[in-house]
Amino acid sequence: MTPGVNAEKSAPIHAFVNGPESFANFDELLARTIEHNPTRSVSSLRRGILHNAVQREDGSWVWRYARFRAGESASHPTSSTGGTPSPD
């Protein structure tokens, strides 16, 4: 935290970070990210997601930082298909 930040000011960040554990597809993840980051461009958010999320074998997407997912260890996240949506 930084000086001047309180629970009220940090609530939007808390809501975003504590959102769904996984997303059915990339578009669902992108939509949530856009909703919580209205001042950033869609291309910037898409790029950020591609660096900070991973696609599971079943096609769903999860954040890389979600270290406490059931059945996964921090050093071995669920395998990725390597699929990436095309950039804008």
Side-chain angles (χ1 to χ4, degrees), residues 54 56 62-64 66 69 71-80:
V54 62
R56 291 178 168 168
V62 294
W63 292 110
R64 291 183 193 276
R69 283 188 223 111
E72 295 180 20
S73 70
S75 62
H76 294 92
T78 301
S79 296
S80 170

PDB file of all heavy atoms in Angstrom, residues 54 56 62-64 66 69 71-80:
ATOM      1  N   VAL A  54      -2.691 -17.956 -18.493  1.00  0.00           N
ATOM      2  CA  VAL A  54      -2.331 -19.171 -19.223  1.00  0.00           C
ATOM      3  C   VAL A  54      -3.605 -19.920 -19.604  1.00  0.00           C
ATOM      4  O   VAL A  54      -4.580 -19.928 -18.852  1.00  0.00           O
ATOM      5  CB  VAL A  54      -1.383 -20.064 -18.379  1.00  0.00           C
ATOM      6  CG1 VAL A  54      -2.038 -20.530 -17.110  1.00  0.00           C
ATOM      7  CG2 VAL A  54      -0.866 -21.230 -19.182  1.00  0.00           C
ATOM      8  N   ARG A  56      -5.544 -23.308 -20.197  1.00  0.00           N
ATOM      9  CA  ARG A  56      -5.500 -24.716 -19.786  1.00  0.00           C
ATOM     10  C   ARG A  56      -5.808 -25.613 -20.976  1.00  0.00           C
ATOM     11  O   ARG A  56      -6.309 -25.172 -22.001  1.00  0.00           O
ATOM     12  CB  ARG A  56      -6.537 -24.974 -18.694  1.00  0.00           C
ATOM     13  CG  ARG A  56      -6.224 -24.312 -17.381  1.00  0.00           C
ATOM     14  CD  ARG A  56      -7.328 -24.590 -16.409  1.00  0.00           C
ATOM     15  NE  ARG A  56      -6.966 -24.215 -15.051  1.00  0.00           N
ATOM     16  CZ  ARG A  56      -7.835 -24.146 -14.063  1.00  0.00           C
ATOM     17  NH1 ARG A  56      -9.105 -24.418 -14.265  1.00  0.00           N
ATOM     18  NH2 ARG A  56      -7.430 -23.798 -12.863  1.00  0.00           N
ATOM     19  N   VAL A  62      -6.705 -19.055 -16.906  1.00  0.00           N
ATOM     20  CA  VAL A  62      -6.476 -18.722 -15.498  1.00  0.00           C
ATOM     21  C   VAL A  62      -5.305 -17.761 -15.422  1.00  0.00           C
ATOM     22  O   VAL A  62      -4.425 -17.744 -16.289  1.00  0.00           O
ATOM     23  CB  VAL A  62      -6.180 -19.975 -14.637  1.00  0.00           C
ATOM     24  CG1 VAL A  62      -7.388 -20.891 -14.568  1.00  0.00           C
ATOM     25  CG2 VAL A  62      -4.971 -20.722 -15.149  1.00  0.00           C
ATOM     26  N   TRP A  63      -5.284 -16.963 -14.351  1.00  0.00           N
ATOM     27  CA  TRP A  63      -4.159 -16.063 -14.118  1.00  0.00           C
ATOM     28  C   TRP A  63      -2.949 -16.870 -13.677  1.00  0.00           C
ATOM     29  O   TRP A  63      -3.068 -17.819 -12.905  1.00  0.00           O
ATOM     30  CB  TRP A  63      -4.512 -15.042 -13.028  1.00  0.00           C
ATOM     31  CG  TRP A  63      -5.565 -14.084 -13.453  1.00  0.00           C
ATOM     32  CD1 TRP A  63      -6.845 -14.033 -12.990  1.00  0.00           C
ATOM     33  CD2 TRP A  63      -5.443 -13.049 -14.428  1.00  0.00           C
ATOM     34  NE1 TRP A  63      -7.521 -13.013 -13.620  1.00  0.00           N
ATOM     35  CE2 TRP A  63      -6.684 -12.397 -14.512  1.00  0.00           C
ATOM     36  CE3 TRP A  63      -4.404 -12.593 -15.239  1.00  0.00           C
ATOM     37  CZ2 TRP A  63      -6.925 -11.318 -15.364  1.00  0.00           C
ATOM     38  CZ3 TRP A  63      -4.632 -11.534 -16.098  1.00  0.00           C
ATOM     39  CH2 TRP A  63      -5.879 -10.909 -16.153  1.00  0.00           C
ATOM     40  N   ARG A  64      -1.786 -16.500 -14.139  1.00  0.00           N
ATOM     41  CA  ARG A  64      -0.554 -17.165 -13.728  1.00  0.00           C
ATOM     42  C   ARG A  64      -0.298 -16.988 -12.237  1.00  0.00           C
ATOM     43  O   ARG A  64       0.279 -17.844 -11.606  1.00  0.00           O
ATOM     44  CB  ARG A  64       0.653 -16.602 -14.491  1.00  0.00           C
ATOM     45  CG  ARG A  64       0.670 -16.939 -15.937  1.00  0.00           C
ATOM     46  CD  ARG A  64       1.940 -16.400 -16.586  1.00  0.00           C
ATOM     47  NE  ARG A  64       1.849 -16.446 -18.024  1.00  0.00           N
ATOM     48  CZ  ARG A  64       2.124 -17.499 -18.776  1.00  0.00           C
ATOM     49  NH1 ARG A  64       2.530 -18.604 -18.201  1.00  0.00           N
ATOM     50  NH2 ARG A  64       1.994 -17.465 -20.081  1.00  0.00           N
ATOM     51  N   ALA A  66      -2.266 -17.051  -9.753  1.00  0.00           N
ATOM     52  CA  ALA A  66      -3.173 -17.798  -8.873  1.00  0.00           C
ATOM     53  C   ALA A  66      -2.429 -19.022  -8.340  1.00  0.00           C
ATOM     54  O   ALA A  66      -2.623 -20.132  -8.795  1.00  0.00           O
ATOM     55  CB  ALA A  66      -4.447 -18.185  -9.597  1.00  0.00           C
ATOM     56  N   ARG A  69      -4.311 -22.657  -6.661  1.00  0.00           N
ATOM     57  CA  ARG A  69      -5.355 -23.424  -7.331  1.00  0.00           C
ATOM     58  C   ARG A  69      -5.286 -24.867  -6.864  1.00  0.00           C
ATOM     59  O   ARG A  69      -4.214 -25.436  -6.712  1.00  0.00           O
ATOM     60  CB  ARG A  69      -5.161 -23.382  -8.842  1.00  0.00           C
ATOM     61  CG  ARG A  69      -5.607 -22.084  -9.444  1.00  0.00           C
ATOM     62  CD  ARG A  69      -5.562 -22.202 -10.963  1.00  0.00           C
ATOM     63  NE  ARG A  69      -4.980 -20.977 -11.452  1.00  0.00           N
ATOM     64  CZ  ARG A  69      -3.786 -20.881 -12.009  1.00  0.00           C
ATOM     65  NH1 ARG A  69      -3.033 -21.931 -12.197  1.00  0.00           N
ATOM     66  NH2 ARG A  69      -3.336 -19.720 -12.395  1.00  0.00           N
ATOM     67  N   GLY A  71      -4.946 -28.668  -6.749  1.00  0.00           N
ATOM     68  CA  GLY A  71      -4.322 -29.648  -7.616  1.00  0.00           C
ATOM     69  C   GLY A  71      -3.104 -29.162  -8.370  1.00  0.00           C
ATOM     70  O   GLY A  71      -2.600 -29.856  -9.229  1.00  0.00           O
ATOM     71  N   GLU A  72      -2.624 -27.970  -8.080  1.00  0.00           N
ATOM     72  CA  GLU A  72      -1.463 -27.448  -8.779  1.00  0.00           C
ATOM     73  C   GLU A  72      -0.413 -27.017  -7.775  1.00  0.00           C
ATOM     74  O   GLU A  72      -0.727 -26.575  -6.687  1.00  0.00           O
ATOM     75  CB  GLU A  72      -1.833 -26.235  -9.628  1.00  0.00           C
ATOM     76  CG  GLU A  72      -2.780 -26.546 -10.744  1.00  0.00           C
ATOM     77  CD  GLU A  72      -3.110 -25.307 -11.562  1.00  0.00           C
ATOM     78  OE1 GLU A  72      -2.347 -24.334 -11.512  1.00  0.00           O
ATOM     79  OE2 GLU A  72      -4.126 -25.326 -12.229  1.00  0.00           O
ATOM     80  N   SER A  73       0.832 -27.122  -8.166  1.00  0.00           N
ATOM     81  CA  SER A  73       1.899 -26.600  -7.328  1.00  0.00           C
ATOM     82  C   SER A  73       2.394 -25.309  -7.948  1.00  0.00           C
ATOM     83  O   SER A  73       2.215 -25.071  -9.138  1.00  0.00           O
ATOM     84  CB  SER A  73       3.042 -27.609  -7.217  1.00  0.00           C
ATOM     85  OG  SER A  73       3.710 -27.716  -8.451  1.00  0.00           O
ATOM     86  N   ALA A  74       3.041 -24.474  -7.172  1.00  0.00           N
ATOM     87  CA  ALA A  74       3.523 -23.186  -7.666  1.00  0.00           C
ATOM     88  C   ALA A  74       4.530 -23.358  -8.797  1.00  0.00           C
ATOM     89  O   ALA A  74       4.602 -22.543  -9.697  1.00  0.00           O
ATOM     90  CB  ALA A  74       4.146 -22.389  -6.520  1.00  0.00           C
ATOM     91  N   SER A  75       5.310 -24.418  -8.762  1.00  0.00           N
ATOM     92  CA  SER A  75       6.329 -24.597  -9.792  1.00  0.00           C
ATOM     93  C   SER A  75       5.815 -25.319 -11.031  1.00  0.00           C
ATOM     94  O   SER A  75       6.489 -25.349 -12.046  1.00  0.00           O
ATOM     95  CB  SER A  75       7.529 -25.354  -9.219  1.00  0.00           C
ATOM     96  OG  SER A  75       7.123 -26.631  -8.790  1.00  0.00           O
ATOM     97  N   HIS A  76       4.627 -25.899 -10.948  1.00  0.00           N
ATOM     98  CA  HIS A  76       4.077 -26.638 -12.089  1.00  0.00           C
ATOM     99  C   HIS A  76       2.613 -26.281 -12.324  1.00  0.00           C
ATOM    100  O   HIS A  76       1.718 -27.050 -11.974  1.00  0.00           O
ATOM    101  CB  HIS A  76       4.215 -28.146 -11.862  1.00  0.00           C
ATOM    102  CG  HIS A  76       5.624 -28.594 -11.829  1.00  0.00           C
ATOM    103  ND1 HIS A  76       6.341 -28.670 -10.666  1.00  0.00           N
ATOM    104  CD2 HIS A  76       6.469 -28.942 -12.815  1.00  0.00           C
ATOM    105  CE1 HIS A  76       7.567 -29.082 -10.937  1.00  0.00           C
ATOM    106  NE2 HIS A  76       7.667 -29.246 -12.231  1.00  0.00           N
ATOM    107  N   PRO A  77       2.340 -25.115 -12.948  1.00  0.00           N
ATOM    108  CA  PRO A  77       0.949 -24.780 -13.227  1.00  0.00           C
ATOM    109  C   PRO A  77       0.354 -25.745 -14.243  1.00  0.00           C
ATOM    110  O   PRO A  77       1.087 -26.457 -14.929  1.00  0.00           O
ATOM    111  CB  PRO A  77       1.029 -23.363 -13.791  1.00  0.00           C
ATOM    112  CG  PRO A  77       2.417 -23.225 -14.298  1.00  0.00           C
ATOM    113  CD  PRO A  77       3.265 -24.120 -13.438  1.00  0.00           C
ATOM    114  N   THR A  78      -0.943 -25.753 -14.334  1.00  0.00           N
ATOM    115  CA  THR A  78      -1.623 -26.611 -15.289  1.00  0.00           C
ATOM    116  C   THR A  78      -1.049 -26.382 -16.679  1.00  0.00           C
ATOM    117  O   THR A  78      -0.763 -25.252 -17.055  1.00  0.00           O
ATOM    118  CB  THR A  78      -3.130 -26.286 -15.296  1.00  0.00           C
ATOM    119  OG1 THR A  78      -3.612 -26.497 -13.984  1.00  0.00           O
ATOM    120  CG2 THR A  78      -3.903 -27.158 -16.259  1.00  0.00           C
ATOM    121  N   SER A  79      -0.891 -27.427 -17.440  1.00  0.00           N
ATOM    122  CA  SER A  79      -0.307 -27.324 -18.766  1.00  0.00           C
ATOM    123  C   SER A  79      -1.092 -26.364 -19.641  1.00  0.00           C
ATOM    124  O   SER A  79      -2.311 -26.265 -19.564  1.00  0.00           O
ATOM    125  CB  SER A  79      -0.308 -28.695 -19.437  1.00  0.00           C
ATOM    126  OG  SER A  79       0.512 -29.568 -18.720  1.00  0.00           O
ATOM    127  N   SER A  80      -0.370 -25.696 -20.494  1.00  0.00           N
ATOM    128  CA  SER A  80      -0.975 -24.769 -21.440  1.00  0.00           C
ATOM    129  C   SER A  80      -0.989 -25.393 -22.815  1.00  0.00           C
ATOM    130  O   SER A  80      -0.081 -26.132 -23.190  1.00  0.00           O
ATOM    131  CB  SER A  80      -0.170 -23.470 -21.473  1.00  0.00           C
ATOM    132  OG  SER A  80      -0.597 -22.658 -22.536  1.00  0.00           O
TER     133      SER A  80
END
